[in-house]
Amino acid sequence: MIIDGHVLVAGAGVSGAGCARMLVDLGVQVTVVDDDETARFRVSEATGAANVSRDAVRWQDYTCVVTSPGWRPDTPLLIDAAANGLPVIGDVELAWRLDRDGVFGPPRTWMVVTGTNGKTTTTAMLAEMMRRGPQRAAAVGNIGVAIGDALTANPRIDVLVAELSSFQLHWSEQLRPDVGCVLNLAHDHIDWHGSFDAYAEAKMKALRGGTAIIGVDDPEVVARAGAGCIGFTLGEPAAGQVGVVDGYLVDRAFDGGRLAPVAGISPPGSAGVLDALAAAAMARSQGIPPESIAQALSSFQVSGHRGQVVFHSGGVSYIDNSKATNPHAADAALEGHESVVWIAGGQLKGADILPVIRKHAGRLKAALLLGVDRGLIAAALATINPEIPVVITDSTDPEQAMAELVAAARRIAAPGDVVLLAPAAASLDMYSGMSQRGTIFAQAAAGSST
């Protein structure tokens, strides 16, 4: 259907351009649709695909729609496509079907990581483990190599370690990974999916393949997972689980025994250990030996904005966890620190911040707030514990706002405290993304000593 038909690629962004290029290279007739005329003509020029505006689409001309993952299910063009009997799939589903059909040679091993938080770190850890195996492996999807590029890479990539979002999984119907993992589930992207149940349903598609691995400490995941899943836990593992015993990761699912010490795992704390457990369970499912897992974890360093100490002065550590873009991630970031000067705020996207504040109020020395939803967080703090000092900046200048809060943190923090950027909110109200937010925090922290 894909190779022999006329494919309409919806979206002229990075994903759409990649799909168009891959299909054109295979000799497929491709048209790109997007309301941004400049973008769609740019993709046409780069790939050789035709292009069309949304209002000029004639459904009888096409056999399939490949949508960019960011296009919501309620997008009128996608609704019209389905109403006209056309299958609508995403970029990942496209790659999966072409790979399964042998278009790029023998099918690869697919390892899929998803969840609300920890996806990138777990995927990177797993890729390090799989690179120590007998086949060529690479991180793909939302980190590393684009999946389309991975399928055509020379030398061949045999193992695709894929970080996938709920958007990508929503648009995947036939995807059945060799091993899939759901790390955790919390309210996120509800505006896109329409409900938490729809969001969770998309995530759980990762478990429909050969080996299913879940975080058994997360009740939302456990409630939705079927029988026969391998579990990972911060506690002592039961049979069929990977967990922690006497300071070591221990495998009681694949007879691996003691795998690696908890000490030294990056990032430190429970979130990093959970990510390591998930990655280790997935690697063990594919026969990676314990010593290779230990070697991978000993050399692994977490990527940017996911819990690094970016500055240390006067006994105070400044930690950048700008990637904590929702309350669930902030919860994990706050865990394990005894006394925290917390920098938070941005776009809550309708998420409830109260449970996180209620859980961690006892460790908050102060809360320093910025961004569009700073007032909501301040109100929640006042509801839970009005004695927690709160500093609010009304500045919308990204550098000035962060500098004001870091200066306040410097005045408040004492030796042994942690100044933690874990915003519990998205960043696009003030910053180009969470990376810029974290970078500006690190620069302000380093500058605060002068």
Side-chain angles (χ1 to χ4, degrees):
M1 176 186 67
I2 296 170
I3 296 295
D4 297 330
H6 184 176
V7 177
L8 182 68
V9 173
V14 173
S15 172
C19 290
R21 183 180 302 107
M22 179 171 62
L23 290 168
V24 169
D25 288 347
L26 291 171
V28 178
Q29 186 178 3
V30 179
T31 297
V32 176
V33 58
D34 198 296
D35 283 340
D36 186 333
E37 183 177 18
T38 300
R40 70 174 191 263
F41 273 96
R42 183 171 60 245
V43 172
S44 288
E45 184 177 354
T47 65
N51 75 84
V52 67
S53 62
R54 289 199 206 191
D55 57 7
V57 170
R58 302 193 321 158
W59 294 114
Q60 64 269 27
D61 293 343
Y62 306 103
T63 53
C64 176
V65 176
V66 176
T67 180
S68 298
W71 283 39
R72 292 165 49 136
D74 59 0
T75 301
L77 182 133
L78 301 181
I79 293 174
D80 288 348
N84 281 273
L86 271 67
V88 180
I89 64 175
D91 57 337
V92 171
E93 178 78 357
L94 172 67
W96 166 263
R97 294 189 188 187
L98 295 175
D99 183 52
R100 289 298 106 174
D101 287 343
V103 172
F104 304 105
R108 281 108 181 119
T109 297
W110 285 61
M111 307 181 76
V112 169
V113 177
T114 196
T116 303
N117 296 299
K119 297 185 293 296
T120 299
T121 300
T122 302
T123 302
M125 285 177 171
L126 178 58
E128 284 295 316
M129 296 173 188
M130 297 307 299
R131 289 188 187 106
R132 288 166 167 78
Q135 295 182 301
R136 183 177 171 86
V140 305
N142 295 331
I143 66 169
V145 183
I147 294 182
D149 292 340
L151 292 176
T152 57
N154 186 17
R156 172 188 162 97
I157 297 173
D158 301 294
V159 181
L160 307 182
V161 182
E163 176 196 329
L164 298 186
S165 70
S166 60
F167 306 158
Q168 291 165 315
L169 288 164
H170 173 88
W171 296 115
S172 298
E173 291 304 322
Q174 295 182 16
L175 175 67
R176 300 291 188 276
D178 297 274
V179 54
C181 178
V182 178
L183 301 169
N184 44 57
L185 287 172
H187 284 71
D188 201 14
H189 301 302
I190 307 306
D191 53 346
W192 195 94
H193 289 276
S195 69
F196 177 66
D197 284 340
Y199 167 74
E201 181 182 354
K203 291 287 191 184
M204 300 307 284
K205 288 183 177 183
L207 305 181
R208 298 186 304 186
T211 300
I213 295 174
I214 62 172
V216 294
D217 296 344
D218 189 312
E220 293 288 359
V221 175
V222 173
R224 289 171 167 81
C229 294
I230 302 298
F232 64 91
T233 174
L234 286 173
E236 182 173 345
Q241 294 181 347
V242 176
V244 179
V245 179
D246 296 330
Y248 279 82
L249 308 189
V250 172
D251 169 19
R252 291 179 178 164
F254 306 101
D255 299 323
R258 184 179 281 190
L259 300 177
V262 169
I265 288 175
S266 173
S270 59
V273 175
L274 282 167
D275 294 344
L277 287 164
M282 296 182 76
R284 288 293 302 136
S285 79
Q286 302 301 298
I288 300 300
E291 56 269 24
S292 295
I293 291 173
Q295 291 167 3
L297 290 176
S298 68
S299 63
F300 178 80
Q301 290 296 314
V302 67
S303 58
H305 315 297
R306 290 167 171 82
Q308 302 93 331
V309 176
V310 294
F311 188 69
H312 187 87
S313 177
V316 177
S317 294
Y318 293 75
I319 297 177
D320 171 13
N321 208 316
S322 185
K323 184 64 171 66
T325 56
N326 55 57
H328 187 268
D331 175 26
L334 287 161
E335 196 78 54
H337 300 297
E338 293 303 316
S339 181
V340 179
V341 179
W342 182 34
I343 298 179
Q347 299 163 297
L348 286 174
K349 300 179 294 183
D352 186 2
I353 195 69
L354 276 170
V356 173
I357 294 174
R358 185 177 294 111
K359 179 178 178 180
H360 296 290
R363 68 181 81 236
L364 297 181
K365 188 170 186 177
L368 316 181
L369 308 178
L370 78 171
V372 65
D373 286 334
R374 61 195 181 280
L376 296 177
I377 301 175
L381 285 158
T383 298
I384 300 300
N385 184 350
E387 300 301 316
I388 296 173
V390 175
V391 176
I392 299 175
T393 176
D394 292 326
S395 174
T396 57
D397 179 270
E399 294 187 3
Q400 180 182 336
M402 191 64 73
E404 288 180 14
L405 295 190
V406 169
R410 186 186 180 199
R411 294 192 297 269
I412 295 168
D417 291 342
V418 166
V419 177
L420 175 65
L421 174 66
S427 58
L428 296 180
D429 57 331
M430 289 176 57
Y431 299 93
S432 63
M434 68 87 185
S435 295
Q436 187 198 34
R437 179 170 62 185
T439 297
I440 290 175
F441 166 74
Q443 291 169 345
S448 70
S449 64
T450 60

